[in-house]
Amino acid sequence: MTESVDVNVPICTAYDQWTQFESFPHFMSGVREIRQIDDVHTHWILEIAGQPREFDATITEQHPDERIAWKSDAGSISLTVFRRISISKFQILANDRRT
């Protein structure tokens, strides 16, 4: 699954928000809670089709204001790329796939 959104905020603002995993429930449906365990480990609680799902994930790549990737112990890989469109606008591309 790949999704994208164009945003009109400084790229550092969006990247910083995207790396604050605990805030995901405020803007992502189905995400109930994410706890940051340490610099590279997170614990996720989702609700999918009315059923709770929990898993741990490890950040595998992080380049500030450019990209962040993580792999879950549930078998999915996620990559989010921040791509500049113009001086004041850029695109967030999120790709999630099962391994």
Side-chain angles (χ1 to χ4, degrees):
M1 168 184 77
T2 300
E3 299 209 20
S4 69
V5 62
D6 295 350
V7 293
N8 292 311
V9 298
I11 197 165
C12 61
T13 300
Y15 181 85
D16 289 347
Q17 180 67 40
W18 197 261
T19 57
Q20 299 301 312
F21 298 105
E22 292 89 353
S23 70
F24 277 27
H26 300 290
F27 63 90
M28 293 181 103
S29 63
V31 176
R32 296 294 163 241
E33 179 183 350
I34 302 175
R35 287 191 311 270
Q36 182 100 29
I37 311 282
D38 58 31
D39 286 346
V40 296
H41 297 99
T42 54
H43 181 77
W44 297 59
I45 302 173
L46 308 178
E47 187 173 314
I48 300 171
Q51 299 297 314
R53 305 272 169 91
E54 293 191 41
F55 62 89
D56 293 318
T58 302
I59 297 170
T60 58
E61 182 180 1
Q62 193 166 7
H63 300 281
D65 300 341
E66 292 178 17
R67 63 194 296 131
I68 184 167
W70 59 89
K71 182 176 182 179
S72 79
D73 64 359
S76 66
I77 297 172
S78 296
L79 171 66
T80 302
V81 175
F82 298 80
R83 183 171 59 187
R84 185 172 305 280
I85 296 171
S86 70
I87 208 135
S88 62
K89 188 175 187 176
F90 67 96
Q91 186 176 60
I92 301 172
L93 297 161
N95 187 321
D96 189 41
R97 63 183 168 93
R98 305 278 298 159
T99 56

